[in-house]
């Protein structure tokens, strides 16, 4: 039995992978991979997340460069949006604009 | 006191069917159980390449060879999805790989059985990947977001694994007498170990209740096993092979195919390291790690060179 090797050399930086599956669609987070630099990160991402032609574009970004919200702060962070119902059309009362009888008959 | 409130809120979220994400508060026990489960799952995908890799160079046709190569490559990808899912819980991949290489970590028992003939490749795709699909379909709905998403990706690829194996089984079962004998022998050898993949009976599975409470698992080992048996009995009939269990019989009341008792002594013996291939697998894993070192070194050297070049031109 060979000796147990040192696993430390497998710990490259982690990259988050964003994939656009069809043109016109948004890039969506697919998962993460390890790679020593951005070029190899893209190649690894292709091999892991697009082996069946499910991508037209890909982004990779090193995980440490992503700034994210903290769940505990969610109430105060997202709260300001909750009481601004006037940002939705349902807030307003306006009359319904209907077709005239003549317009309706004309369409039939 | 604060933790008791947090735990209550955590369990309420799970009850509502919400997913838990990496930065959310979670009980330490949920975290450690997930790390254990996800890393064992990852190791299994990686070891799982070995029994099948054994037959890539000896596949009977180019078509079969391409399929098997693609299937084995998918399994490597599954391992990587899962290691990354585990890393979201605050462990490094190198720690997990280290536990794997040292023999401390467990992986699925099934991969400690040998692949003796080409027919085994058919039986593995059909039965082993078939059982894995039943399990992973459940895990795709589990409460931990990254693990659920990894399993969703895995499931999208598994159907191909199962069908390529099942096609081998069906083809051989309609072949010459020697081929029919060979495929039946492979099915006979893989059937019981496949049933063991779902783990011990619920009453002997210490983690099950807790995992189900937290919706890491949604069904019990025995329920999943029964689902697999019901599916597979029909497929065996369609393929023209038999399953090696004289006690197998349909119960019209429950709509289940009842089956005989599993040899749990064998199961525990393989878990403890005494399966036919435990030592072989570990040896192959360690060797692959050592022999692949130059690839990692070369990648590091290339990245360093590119960085130096960029610094110079800046
Ligand atoms: Fe897999
Ligand atoms: Fe598979």
């Amino acid at each position: 039995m060979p000796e147990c090797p040192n696993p430390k050399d497998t710990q490259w930086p982690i990259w988050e992978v964003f994939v656009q599956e069809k043109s016109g669609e948004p890039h969506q987070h697919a998962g993460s991979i390890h790679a020593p630099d951005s070029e190899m990160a893209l190649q690894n991402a292709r091999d892991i997340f697009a082996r069946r032609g499910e991508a037209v574009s890909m982004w990779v970004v090193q995980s440490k460069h992503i700034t994210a919200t903290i769940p505990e702060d969610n109430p105060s962070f997202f709260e300001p949006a909750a009481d601004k119902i006037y940002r939705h059309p349902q807030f307003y009362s306006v009359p319904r604009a209907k077709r005239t009888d003549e317009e309706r008959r004309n369409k039939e | 006191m604060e933790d008791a409130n947090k735990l209550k809120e955590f369990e309420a979220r799970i009850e509502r069917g919400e997913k838990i994400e990496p930065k959310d508060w979670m009980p330490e026990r949920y975290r450690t159980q997930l790390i254990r489960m996800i890393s064992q799952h990852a190791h299994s995908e990686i070891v799982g390449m070995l029994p099948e890799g054994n037959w890539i160079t000896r596949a009977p046709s180019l078509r079969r060879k391409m399929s098997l190569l693609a299937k084995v490559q998918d399994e490597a990808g599954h391992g990587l999805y899962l290691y990354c899912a585990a890393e979201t819980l605050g462990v490094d991949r190198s720690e997990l790989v280290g536990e794997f290489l040292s023999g401390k970590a467990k992986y699925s028992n099934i991969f400690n059985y040998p692949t003796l003939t080409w027919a085994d490749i058919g039986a593995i795709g059909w039965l082993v990947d078939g059982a894995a699909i039943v399990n992973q379909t459940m895990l795709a709905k589990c409460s931990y977001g990254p693990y659920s998403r990894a399993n969703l990706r895995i499931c999208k690829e598994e159907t191909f694994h199962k069908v390529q194996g099942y096609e081998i089984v069906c083809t051989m079962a309609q072949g010459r007498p020697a081929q029919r004998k060979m495929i039946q022998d492979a099915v006979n050898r893989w059937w019981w170990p496949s049933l063991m993949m779902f783990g011990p009976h619920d009453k002997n599975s210490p983690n099950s209740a807790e995992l189900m409470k937290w919706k890491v698992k949604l069904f019990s080992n025995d329920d999943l096993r029964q689902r697999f048996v019901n599916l597979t009995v029909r497929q065996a009939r369609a393929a023209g092979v038999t399953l090696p269990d004289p006690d197998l019989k349909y119960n019209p009341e429950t709509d289940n195919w009842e089956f005989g008792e599993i040899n749990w002594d064998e199961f525990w013996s393989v878990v403890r390291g005494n399966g036919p291939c435990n030592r072989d697998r570990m040896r192959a894993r360690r060797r692959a790690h050592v022999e692949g070192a130059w690839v990692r070194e070369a990648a590091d050297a290339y990245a360093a060179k590119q960085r130096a070049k960029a610094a110079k031109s800046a």
Side-chain angles (χ1 to χ4, degrees), chain A residues 2 9 11-12 34 51-52, chain B residues 74 87 94 286 296 300:
Chain A
D9 62 349
Q11 195 67 35
W12 280 325
H34 290 234
R51 280 196 303 284
R52 289 176 171 79
Chain B
D74 278 354
E87 283 190 289
S94 62
R286 287 184 179 176
R296 294 186 292 274
D300 269 333

Side-chain angles (χ1 to χ4, degrees), chain B residues 192-232:
Chain B
W192 290 105
S194 301
L195 293 192
M196 294 178 201
M197 281 173 73
F198 296 95
H201 283 314
D202 301 326
K203 58 178 190 293
N204 302 324
S205 176
N207 296 317
S208 255
E210 192 177 49
L211 293 175
M212 284 181 71
K213 181 178 79 176
W214 285 335
K215 295 194 182 163
V216 175
K217 292 176 69 169
L218 302 174
F219 304 102
S220 73
N221 294 352
D222 287 325
D223 285 350
L224 291 171
R225 186 163 21 236
Q226 185 65 61
R227 185 174 297 186
F228 172 70
V229 170
N230 291 350
L231 286 170
T232 310

Side-chain angles (χ1 to χ4, degrees), chain B residues 89-200:
Chain B
L89 292 158
V91 278
D92 281 347
R93 186 169 74 183
S94 62
E95 287 174 52
L96 303 176
V97 172
E99 286 175 2
F100 182 22
L101 290 172
S102 74
K104 190 179 153 217
K106 298 251 175 290
Y107 55 85
S108 178
N109 253 0
I110 191 83
F111 303 117
N112 289 319
Y113 290 85
T115 39
L116 302 179
T117 69
W118 169 254
D120 289 42
I121 300 306
I124 289 181
W126 176 38
L127 299 173
V128 176
D129 288 80
I133 290 174
V134 169
N135 195 31
Q136 291 168 156
T137 305
M138 167 191 74
L139 292 171
K141 297 187 198 110
C142 81
S143 62
Y144 187 57
Y147 193 34
S148 143
R149 292 189 286 273
N151 276 289
L152 206 62
R153 281 191 174 276
I154 289 173
C155 285
K156 281 192 192 158
E157 300 174 349
E158 287 290 358
T159 315
F160 142 63
H161 298 180
K162 178 175 170 177
V163 175
Q164 64 85 36
Y166 189 50
E167 192 190 74
I168 294 172
V169 173
C170 298
T171 307
M172 291 186 80
Q174 274 149 46
R176 292 189 310 266
Q179 291 170 314
R180 294 211 297 270
K181 196 167 158 252
M182 192 187 272
I183 193 64
Q184 186 59 56
D185 170 65
V187 171
N188 291 350
R189 280 182 290 109
W190 287 94
W191 172 248
W192 290 105
S194 301
L195 293 192
M196 294 178 201
M197 281 173 73
F198 296 95

